[in-house]
Structures are given as C-alpha cells and as structure tokens.
Amino acid sequence: MIIHFSIDDVFGSLKYLSLNKNKCTSIFDSIFFSALKDIHEKFDVNFSLYCMYERGGYTLEDFTDCYKEEFMKNSDWISYGYHCYTDDSNYNDATYEQIKKEYQQFRQQIVRITGIQKLEDNIRLHFFSGNEDVVKGKSGGIKGLFSADDDRKSYGLEIDKVKKIKKCGSFFDQEIGITYYNTDIRIENIIDKDISRVVADLKCKDRVNIFTHEKYLGDEEIKEK
C-alpha cells in the first residue's frame, strides 16, 4: 500500500521559526515540526507540506533562510509544495498567467528558505478550486492534483470525471497531462468511534491519500488519530 500524507495551509510554522530565529536553534523547536518528527519517528511517515505564500501582511519573502541546512537534512521525509497564495485564494476564475506568476513567486522563496530544489509535483490547491487554464498553468512540472474528500466539484471537472476519480481512486486526463487523485481521509473529520471502521476500509486499497491542516498538528487528539 502507498500512503500519501499531506498537510495544507502551511505558513504559521515557518513564520514562527523566522520570528524566533534568535531563540529557536532547530526547526523542531516549533510545535508543528516537533509533532511531525514525533509521528515520523514512531511510524516512519513521510509528509508533503502544502504551503501558502502570504498571510496577515507577511509573505515568504519576509522569512529567514537560517534553517536551510536542517530543512535539507530532513528532506528525505519532509517535502514542500504549492497550495495557495493567501487564505482567500480561489482559483475557479483565475487565469493561466495568474497561477503561473503566483507559483513562480512561491517556488523562488520556498527554495530560498528550505534549500530544496525539487518541490512536490502532486499538490492540492486551496478549496480544490481551479479551471482548465489554471491546470494548464502548472508551472514547475506539476503532474497531479488531489481532489475533494467530499462531494464538492474539484478544479471545474465534469461530473463523469469526478465519479471516475471517486470510483477508481484516480483519473489521468490525457489532454492536459494531469492525474487527479481522490483524497480519501481528512484526519480532523474522523469521529473517534469511526477510526476502527476507517482503518478496516483502507486495507483493501493500493493507495491511500490522507491529509489534515497545519493548525491541527498542535492538537493532541488529532495527533492521536
């Protein structure tokens, strides 16, 4: 079984490390990265972190690169990818030029901060939003998009393609050259009593795509799930 574990809306942890660079000697001095390390060491889990570019007046340009060596040292189990420009980003009406420009800005800064040249080529856009122009503007060699874990429409896909993704777990669009993957589990939506059933349902799958959000990794119940 292949397990892909991703975390959306990553920004606050990078901001924390930058604002506290005089007292944080390691990225694992942050609650978020410490939680990742704990889970990784217990279960050998790798994480894909899907980041935003700007929030609350700060952008990735404002962040330090003093942790670059440590980010690179842990790049065998922590990778980075694009998620959105801001909390309000919605790409349903975006243009090819917009997504390309935003992605290039993101790439330049996240490579500067982490030192990691190879970014994730399978990503999840904010709100599963987008259209054909956005998908075609996949600058940087994006090969796959994770679709919604619920019944909402993802990336402007036609209903027959959405159903195919749900049924088969993935769908390759030959015209655009993108593979759409179903998102199987949103960790924060699992009710405690359902965990055993969820795990049982996964055992028959060849690939499982799991995700949560940065803000939940400090929550002990979420970590336990």
Side-chain angles (χ1 to χ4, degrees):
M1 177 191 292
I2 297 172
I3 296 178
H4 184 274
F5 201 127
S6 57
I7 301 174
D8 286 2
D9 295 348
V10 175
F11 186 87
S13 55
L14 300 175
K15 177 182 175 183
Y16 175 84
L17 289 170
S18 288
L19 293 179
N20 293 279
K21 62 183 180 181
N22 293 327
K23 67 177 183 179
C24 290
T25 59
S26 166
I27 62 174
F28 301 114
D29 288 336
S30 74
I31 292 174
F32 176 73
F33 282 104
S34 176
L36 295 186
K37 184 178 181 181
D38 184 47
I39 297 169
H40 172 72
E41 290 180 345
K42 287 180 179 178
F43 305 109
D44 198 27
V45 176
N46 295 345
F47 295 97
S48 299
L49 308 186
Y50 297 145
C51 311
M52 64 175 60
Y53 183 81
E54 182 272 332
R55 175 186 277 169
Y58 287 89
T59 76
L60 294 183
E61 293 181 49
D62 299 312
F63 295 167
T64 181
D65 62 358
C66 70
Y67 304 99
K68 183 183 297 185
E69 289 188 14
E70 192 170 22
F71 280 124
M72 294 175 66
K73 182 179 178 181
N74 291 279
S75 62
D76 59 324
W77 63 277
I78 303 178
S79 58
Y80 303 83
Y82 184 68
H83 182 56
C84 61
Y85 199 80
T86 72
D87 280 306
D88 297 325
S89 293
N90 189 308
Y91 297 110
N92 288 334
D93 297 317
T95 63
Y96 174 98
E97 290 76 16
Q98 176 189 340
I99 191 70
K100 186 174 182 179
K101 179 182 177 180
E102 291 183 1
Y103 182 85
Q104 288 175 340
Q105 285 181 287
F106 164 78
R107 178 178 175 78
Q108 180 181 6
Q109 294 305 321
I110 203 69
V111 169
R112 176 187 65 82
I113 293 167
T114 67
I116 301 170
Q117 294 289 329
K118 188 180 186 315
L119 303 185
E120 277 286 339
D121 53 19
N122 294 316
I123 64 172
R124 183 182 298 100
L125 290 177
H126 204 31
F127 300 126
F128 307 99
S129 61
N131 54 52
E132 192 168 302
D133 277 350
V134 168
V135 174
K136 286 180 177 178
K138 54 187 189 304
S139 176
I142 300 303
K143 297 178 181 178
L145 289 167
F146 291 98
S147 63
D149 55 308
D150 50 30
D151 294 329
R152 83 184 82 176
K153 195 173 184 178
S154 302
Y155 313 116
L157 290 169
E158 298 169 356
I159 190 64
D160 61 322
K161 293 181 180 179
V162 173
K163 289 180 178 179
K164 186 173 290 187
I165 295 167
K166 288 290 184 185
K167 180 180 179 180
C168 303
S170 65
F171 167 74
F172 178 66
D173 191 317
Q174 291 184 328
E175 182 180 350
I176 300 177
I178 283 282
T179 299
Y180 296 94
Y181 296 99
N182 186 52
T183 298
D184 299 292
I185 297 174
R186 183 189 295 243
I187 295 292
E188 59 266 31
N189 283 359
I190 300 176
I191 300 172
D192 290 346
K193 64 182 180 181
D194 290 339
I195 290 180
S196 295
R197 178 186 59 77
V198 170
V199 172
D201 290 343
L202 297 180
K203 290 182 178 180
C204 63
K205 292 179 175 287
D206 295 325
R207 178 187 175 111
V208 178
N209 302 312
I210 304 170
F211 89 116
T212 186
H213 293 79
E214 180 189 58
K215 65 181 180 180
Y216 293 116
L217 260 290
D219 186 305
E220 289 301 320
E221 289 187 11
I222 296 294
K223 285 174 62 179
E224 182 65 21
K225 289 177 183 180

